[in-house]
Amino acid sequence: MVNRSSVGLGMDGPSIRPRPTRVTAAERPKAALASPLIVWAILVAGLYFGREIFIPIAIALLLSFVLGPLVNYLRRWRLPRLVAVGLTVLMTLGIVGALGTLIGIQVADLVGDVPRYRATIERKLDSLRDSPAGRMTDYVANIGRAIHNAGNADTQPKPAAAPPPPAAKGEPPSERKPMLVEMTATPPSPLETASTLLSPIMQPLATLGIVFVVLLFVLMQREDLRDRLVRLAGSRDLHRTTVAMDDAAKRLSRYFVAQLALNTAFGVVIGAGLYLIGVPNPVLCGIVSALMRFVPYLGAFLSALLPMLLAAAIEPGWNMTIATAILFLILEPITGQVIEPMLYGQSTGLSPTAVLVSALFWTWLWGPVGLLLSTPLTACLVVLGRHADHLEFLDVLFGDRPALTPVQNFYQRILAGDSEEVLGHAELILQHCSLSSYYEDVVLKALELAARDAARGVLTPAQKSAMRGTLSELIDDLADRADGPVGGAHRDKDPADVCEAEGACSPLPVHPIPGDLPEGWTREGAVLCISGRGFLDAAAVAILAQILAKRGIGARTVPFSETASARLSRLDPGAAQIACVVSIAHGGEPQHLNRLIARLRQRMPAVPVLAGLWLTGQEERRPTFTLDADITARSLHEAVEAVLAAAEADATVAPRPRTEAPAPAALAPEVVGQGA
């Protein structure tokens, strides 16, 4: 006996589908989940235990993005690659050595002035203790100290006095005199002295040497490394992979060069400002400020600490400290909120959460150096995720682009039945594209997703009802919105560029309203918009009627229930010029539409029928199914174009004098003369 649940119908008759084995159904998901976790655990462990090697390599790779344009510039002067790379590395090594020497001189000068700074700080602390706030602080501290001492006195027993040591028998007690011992240190040998002096700087020098050796080889073997990355990323489509890698390298180079130049300029301006204010060691403060700007979020605060402390230590008053704080409060917002977006767009292309999480992760992994490298390293991972299919999850996790597309976002919100969120989503997208393009590229595509889920049987009746109600409210709320071209801040830009940048929708052509529409097409009911039997067809019909009304054409919606055989005789065609049957179908051929078209022709034989069948997931089957209609349209755009073409053809064949009839009620006055 064969189980019915395991029988399927094939081309040659019934066929028995194999039952899923226990390995396929249970063990494979666990293995698929455990395998990436094991790989990532091994990678993290390797980065942690091998940080002495990986930190110099990471610094060298980031420097290669910065120095790559300089090498290319020198190559344009007909210099050999070895000479160009050598000059670039030597120049970089000279700059790093000069900065290190300058920092050492400034730190030595700062250490020599510490006693003078200490006296000033002690006087300021004494003055603070004499103030009301200082006295209140001392009072609270004394209360806490008294409570702590009282608790210790109650809980700890008093130690007993130790008895004196017993004297020897027959000898009187006598006091033992202390013995003086002099310790003389052996003078260190020259080798020990050199080791003591050089040991603190041996590790930084070794790291610096590894960085420049790796940098030299990376710049020399740049094309070879690119080819190997292309092979790893995917060699099946070499053109696409090569273009992606080159684009990623150029983007990262521009970003790192711009960031380095901006942070350097910030440090120079801060150093000059501190010099004018009178803060000591302004060069050191400028270098620290430039380096701290690589640290996300906390960098600006940390860079202001050192100059403010120095200002407070050198001056008895507080004027210099306040002036230093004002300098940072003015320059940091201007740099971060005005200059950075002008130079390289939206900063790093990372989400704020990703910047914070990456800073914590790399700091835990590599310490303070990881904090400085966290944002550049994560930016590299995001760029790789945008161009490599296998690493796309990195862009999803850390990128600043929305996790869901506008279509998916809209479907998720109508699925929840939240009409306010749906309207807010529409208002946001309609700032960048017209109403008709929003309906075409967002709403109707989201309805296709809903039709797929309905065909799979995963939507409950309550969810379908919530979708219908939410869509009806949205269409009613957008009834008064003009369907014109993109305006506002993007008026002078290409709509395609705006929509691509904003991640919204692609614009549809804007067609003007025909100037000589026949009077019959402007009356209410000139176009009968009849819905199919699907639960989303009524919303599609309402959208079509609204877009037609904004072009001056009178449209009337007719539900599917009014076209049944028993009730079709009650349908009054009135002044109908064309009947539009619209359906959003998925899975199977909608034979009911042909039956509906046949009934309409019996009822209105003189009215042409337009069938708007917007199939989902059936692209390969469209040629096999034909509709018995005068005109067919596969999208909202085609349906509107067909109706406008029919109206213009009617005006050409039978011209009528234009009347001064008022515009339809659904058409706003400012919409006249505009199109979709």
Side-chain angles (χ1 to χ4, degrees):
M1 183 175 181
V2 180
N3 187 5
R4 293 184 178 180
S5 62
S6 62
V7 178
L9 293 179
M11 297 297 294
D12 300 328
S15 61
I16 300 178
R17 293 191 298 268
R19 184 186 299 275
T21 62
R22 182 170 299 179
V23 174
T24 302
E27 295 181 6
R28 184 172 296 176
K30 295 180 180 179
L33 178 62
S35 185
L37 294 178
I38 294 175
V39 171
W40 281 106
I42 293 174
L43 287 177
V44 172
L47 290 174
Y48 179 77
F49 292 106
R51 56 185 178 272
E52 300 295 336
I53 299 297
F54 288 115
I55 288 177
I57 293 176
I59 296 175
L61 291 176
L62 294 178
L63 283 177
S64 67
F65 286 112
V66 177
L67 300 178
L70 180 58
V71 174
N72 295 333
Y73 177 78
L74 294 177
R75 290 291 306 277
R76 295 194 192 103
W77 289 85
R78 306 294 182 180
L79 292 178
R81 172 173 291 274
L82 180 61
V83 176
V85 172
L87 290 177
T88 303
V89 173
L90 287 177
M91 184 188 68
T92 307
L93 185 60
I95 293 175
V96 172
L99 286 178
T101 304
L102 189 59
I103 291 174
I105 294 173
Q106 292 286 313
V107 170
D109 185 33
L110 181 62
V111 171
D113 292 337
V114 166
R116 181 164 58 92
Y117 297 156
R118 181 186 302 172
T120 305
I121 292 175
E122 289 177 354
R123 287 195 298 269
K124 285 190 174 183
L125 293 177
D126 293 337
S127 63
L128 288 177
R129 292 192 189 98
D130 297 335
S131 64
R135 288 193 294 269
M136 180 61 67
T137 304
D138 292 341
Y139 178 73
V140 173
N142 291 333
I143 292 177
R145 194 179 300 109
I147 294 174
H148 180 71
N149 293 335
N152 292 339
D154 295 339
T155 57
Q156 296 180 0
K158 295 182 180 180
K169 187 176 181 181
E171 294 182 2
S174 60
E175 295 183 359
R176 307 179 68 178
K177 296 182 180 180
M179 182 180 297
L180 297 177
V181 179
E182 183 179 358
M183 303 292 294
T184 59
T186 305
S189 63
L191 183 61
E192 293 177 350
T193 303
S195 176
T196 303
L197 294 176
L198 295 178
S199 58
I201 62 173
M202 285 300 296
Q203 185 175 0
L205 287 177
T207 302
L208 186 63
I210 296 175
V211 166
F212 279 94
V213 170
V214 175
L215 177 62
L216 182 65
F217 277 93
V218 169
L219 293 177
M220 287 293 298
Q221 303 293 327
R222 190 174 182 181
E223 285 75 12
D224 181 68
L225 292 175
R226 183 198 62 188
D227 295 341
R228 296 181 184 277
L229 289 176
V230 168
R231 178 65 182 271
L232 290 175
S235 58
R236 295 182 179 179
D237 190 354
L238 288 177
H239 177 269
R240 178 176 177 270
T241 307
T242 303
V243 171
M245 288 297 177
D246 290 342
D247 179 66
K250 290 179 181 178
R251 288 178 182 270
L252 288 173
S253 295
R254 286 196 300 266
Y255 166 67
F256 291 142
V257 170
Q259 190 181 35
L260 180 62
L262 180 61
N263 293 349
T264 302
F266 180 81
V268 171
V269 174
I270 287 293
L274 295 177
Y275 175 77
L276 295 177
I277 293 174
V279 178
N281 303 103
V283 176
L284 178 62
C285 295
I287 295 174
V288 172
S289 300
L291 292 177
M292 286 296 103
R293 288 210 83 254
F294 288 98
V295 179
Y297 297 127
L298 297 178
F301 174 75
L302 295 176
S303 63
L305 282 181
L306 178 61
M308 290 182 65
L309 290 175
L310 291 177
I314 195 174
E315 185 191 24
W318 298 97
N319 294 331
M320 188 178 295
T321 306
I322 296 174
T324 304
I326 293 175
L327 176 65
F328 278 90
L329 289 176
I330 293 176
L331 286 181
E332 178 58 33
I334 293 176
T335 305
Q337 304 300 325
V338 178
I339 301 178
E340 278 187 359
M342 291 174 58
L343 280 181
Y344 42 87
Q346 295 297 323
S347 183
T348 59
L350 306 176
S351 65
T353 305
V355 173
L356 180 60
V357 172
S358 65
L360 295 176
F361 173 76
W362 291 108
T363 303
W364 167 77
L365 201 63
W366 288 350
V369 178
L371 180 62
L372 290 174
L373 300 178
S374 60
T375 302
L377 289 176
T378 311
C380 294
L381 295 178
V382 169
V383 172
L384 289 177
R386 290 181 180 178
H387 293 87
D389 296 336
H390 300 292
L391 301 176
E392 186 180 1
F393 68 95
L394 295 173
D395 183 27
V396 175
L397 291 177
F398 304 122
D400 59 350
R401 295 188 294 185
L404 298 177
T405 64
V407 175
Q408 295 170 340
N409 203 343
F410 180 85
Y411 177 48
Q412 187 270 333
R413 295 184 184 186
I414 65 171
L415 190 62
D418 193 341
S419 57
E420 291 297 328
E421 288 289 333
V422 171
L423 182 59
H425 180 264
E427 294 290 343
L428 180 64
I429 296 181
L430 287 172
Q431 297 176 4
H432 313 292
C433 61
S434 62
L435 180 63
S436 59
S437 62
Y438 169 68
Y439 280 142
E440 177 82 13
D441 291 343
V442 177
V443 177
L444 292 178
K445 289 183 179 179
L447 297 187
E448 291 181 1
L449 297 179
R452 294 180 186 179
D453 288 345
R456 294 190 297 117
V458 298
L459 295 181
T460 63
Q463 290 175 328
K464 294 181 179 180
S465 178
M467 285 185 188
R468 286 193 293 265
T470 304
L471 289 171
S472 178
E473 292 182 18
L474 173 67
I475 296 170
D476 292 340
D477 290 335
L478 298 179
D480 297 332
R481 178 177 289 274
D483 186 21
V486 177
H490 307 283
R491 189 183 308 274
D492 299 329
K493 298 182 180 180
D494 186 3
D497 296 338
V498 173
C499 294
E500 182 181 359
E502 299 294 338
C505 54
S506 59
L508 293 180
V510 179
H511 297 275
I513 298 176
D516 295 326
L517 276 178
E519 184 179 357
W521 288 86
T522 60
R523 295 176 182 175
E524 184 180 0
V527 178
L528 296 179
C529 300
I530 305 170
S531 66
R533 66 183 182 185
F535 81 101
L536 297 172
D537 294 347
V541 163
I543 291 173
L544 175 61
Q546 185 181 99
I547 296 301
L548 290 175
K550 292 183 181 299
R551 285 156 178 76
I553 295 178
R556 178 164 65 96
T557 59
V558 179
F560 181 77
S561 59
E562 299 294 329
T563 60
S565 300
R567 306 183 63 179
L568 187 61
S569 59
R570 306 175 188 175
L571 178 63
D572 182 15
Q577 304 291 327
I578 190 173
C580 297
V581 179
V582 178
S583 176
I584 298 178
H586 180 84
E589 298 171 347
Q591 299 286 352
H592 70 281
L593 291 181
N594 278 335
R595 295 192 293 269
L596 174 58
I597 293 171
R599 294 196 300 269
L600 291 175
R601 282 180 172 169
Q602 292 179 358
R603 176 61 179 164
M604 304 174 292
V607 178
V609 178
L610 182 148
L613 179 57
W614 301 331
L615 292 171
T616 61
Q618 300 290 329
E619 294 289 341
E620 69 282 358
R621 298 182 58 184
R622 283 185 178 182
T624 64
F625 180 75
T626 58
L627 291 171
D628 189 16
D630 301 300
I631 308 171
T632 58
R634 297 182 178 180
S635 64
L636 171 65
H637 177 54
E638 291 184 7
V640 174
E641 287 290 324
V643 173
L644 288 177
E648 292 177 350
D650 193 7
T652 303
V653 174
R656 300 185 182 94
R658 186 174 182 180
T659 61
E660 297 296 332
L667 184 64
E670 65 272 14
V671 182
V672 178
Q674 297 179 355

